[in-house]
């Protein structure tokens, strides 16, 4: 977890194309825009892939495992948790990001369409490619997180709540112009303050949960040209350039049969990022898909492919 702890502290910086220490890879704004366009233009058909094998972890281990992402907005955290159960897809998407600079726009769109990746991977690829890149860069952490989600998502949810409570207790997690942090009978939720803009928090998981009113010590945020989404620092958390969710996907592409558009009308628009039921903190389940009334996500049933028929044994 240590390697990913250090690298994920740079996620918002990378997502905004900000300077990063030597050895840290970033996704430039231009490449991020190309990836978003490639996902939209490719009209990918969603496939089913085998999940990470379930595993159990101690309470302390889970706390450390979720620490780098526990302070993400609920809807973004849901995509990370689902994508983590598909580490092979995350790894393949990371490899595509690495070589995307040498591909034409058409080749990049074709490469995305050919993979049949899960929606969670596509959302991260299109809107938060640096988050996905860092997950691929520490695939061991990603596999462990996915195994924990597959094995006991209620325990993972509890760990997220534990870490959020610790950050609040230390004075390091509060509402600001990037996010709304709400504490209620159903748990601690984090949602974008502006329903049209999603910010990725940047923080040091080694201090934010243990140091009273820790001060952000990462790279200085750099202003961007789009009004209303400039990065800033709030206490122990830095926020990179916000993602305008209206630009995440467009709704002008339909399948060849003239059927349901992909993505469906406004599937990842403001209503999704502001919804209150992404996580059911009491039940320990989550609903990472934007469709109203979608059932709780169950990785064991939803993501594990059926085994292929066994081949007939032939004696040598």
């Amino acid at each position: 977890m240590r390697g990913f702890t250090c690298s994920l502290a740079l996620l918002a910086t990378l997502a905004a194309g900000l300077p990063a220490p030597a050895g840290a890879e970033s996704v430039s704004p231009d490449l991020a825009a190309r990836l978003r366009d490639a996902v939209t233009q490719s009209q990918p058909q969603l496939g089913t892939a085998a999940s990470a094998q379930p595993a159990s972890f101690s309470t302390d281990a889970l706390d450390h495992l979720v620490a780098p992402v526990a302070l993400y907005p609920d809807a973004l955290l849901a995509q990370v948790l689902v994508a983590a159960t598909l580490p092979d897809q995350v790894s393949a998407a990371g490899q595509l990001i690495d070589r995307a600079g040498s591909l034409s726009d058409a080749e990049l769109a074709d490469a995305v369409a050919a993979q049949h990746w899960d929606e969670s991977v596509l959302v991260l690829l299109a809107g938060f490619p640096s988050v996905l890149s860092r997950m691929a860069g520490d695939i061991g952490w990603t596999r462990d997180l996915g195994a924990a989600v597959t094995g006991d998502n209620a325990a993972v949810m509890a760990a997220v709540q534990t870490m959020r409570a610790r950050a609040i207790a230390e004075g390091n997690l509060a509402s600001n112009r990037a996010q709304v942090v709400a504490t209620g009978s159903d748990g601690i939720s984090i949602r974008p303050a502006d329903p049209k803009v999603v910010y990725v928090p940047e923080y040091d998981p080694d201090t934010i949960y243990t140091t009273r009113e820790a001060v952000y010590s990462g790279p200085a945020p750099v202003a961007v040209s789009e009004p209303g989404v400039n990065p800033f620092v709030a206490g122990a958390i830095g926020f990179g350039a916000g993602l305008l969710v209206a630009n995440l996907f467009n709704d002008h592409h339909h399948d060849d049969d003239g059927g349901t558009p992909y993505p469906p009308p406004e599937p990842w628009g403001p209503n999704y990022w502001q919804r209150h039921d992404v996580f059911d903190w009491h039940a320990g389940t989550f609903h990472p898909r934007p469709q109203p009334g979608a059932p709780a996500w169950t990785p064991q049933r939803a993501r594990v492919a059926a085994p292929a028929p066994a081949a007939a044994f032939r004696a040598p």
Side-chain angles (χ1 to χ4, degrees):
M1 196 275 289
R2 178 72 184 184
F4 199 79
T5 292
C6 296
S7 63
L8 270 190
L10 303 172
L11 284 178
T13 299
L14 299 178
L18 306 180
E25 298 179 4
S26 64
V27 174
S28 70
D30 288 343
L31 179 54
R34 290 187 63 218
L35 290 166
R36 183 173 62 243
D37 291 343
V39 172
T40 300
Q41 294 171 7
S42 64
Q43 305 178 48
Q45 300 299 310
L46 303 182
T48 300
S51 292
Q53 293 299 309
S56 60
F57 297 84
S58 69
T59 300
D60 287 345
L62 281 176
D63 290 348
H64 286 287
L65 195 59
V66 305
V69 293
L71 306 189
Y72 279 18
D74 288 2
L76 176 57
L77 176 60
Q79 305 313 309
V80 170
L81 294 180
V82 174
T85 70
L86 304 165
D88 291 346
Q89 292 193 20
V90 169
S91 180
Q95 292 173 17
L96 178 61
I97 292 173
D98 290 342
R99 63 187 181 91
S102 64
L103 301 176
S104 68
D105 289 349
E107 290 171 334
L108 188 56
D110 288 344
V112 172
Q115 296 300 320
H116 296 182
W117 283 324
D118 182 79
E119 265 184 295
S120 61
V121 177
L122 293 175
V123 168
L124 295 178
L125 182 64
F128 309 93
S130 288
V131 174
L132 183 62
S133 183
R134 303 317 297 185
M135 292 176 70
D138 196 339
I139 201 64
W141 176 90
T142 300
R143 287 186 186 278
D144 284 347
L145 181 62
V149 172
T150 304
D152 189 349
N153 60 49
V156 173
M157 299 295 95
V160 170
Q161 286 290 290
T162 295
M163 303 314 287
R164 288 181 175 183
R166 289 179 184 174
I168 289 175
E170 297 295 342
N172 295 326
L173 178 62
S175 297
N176 51 48
R177 67 184 177 92
Q179 62 188 14
V180 174
V181 179
T183 301
S185 59
D186 60 342
I188 302 168
S189 64
I190 303 176
R191 298 186 303 277
D194 182 342
K196 297 180 180 179
V197 184
V198 178
Y199 290 89
V200 180
E202 174 190 349
Y203 58 90
D204 181 1
D206 288 336
T207 62
I208 198 166
Y209 303 110
T210 60
T211 303
R212 184 69 180 172
E213 296 181 349
V215 177
Y216 173 72
S217 58
V222 178
V224 294
S225 59
E226 293 180 290
V229 295
N230 286 342
F232 65 99
V233 172
I237 303 178
F239 295 92
L243 169 73
L244 294 172
V245 295
N247 295 333
L248 184 52
F249 293 124
N250 68 51
D251 300 322
H252 304 302
H253 297 280
H254 297 257
D255 61 25
D256 294 338
D257 298 327
T260 303
Y262 183 87
E266 299 183 1
W268 301 101
N271 289 340
Y272 174 75
W273 298 97
Q274 281 285 305
R275 63 188 289 180
H276 291 260
D277 61 344
V278 173
F279 292 99
D280 182 343
W281 297 112
H282 286 309
T285 57
F286 52 102
H287 309 261
R289 301 297 181 245
Q291 293 79 10
W297 187 80
T298 51
Q300 293 89 340
R301 293 195 299 271
R303 292 294 175 266
V304 178
F313 174 75
R314 293 180 182 274

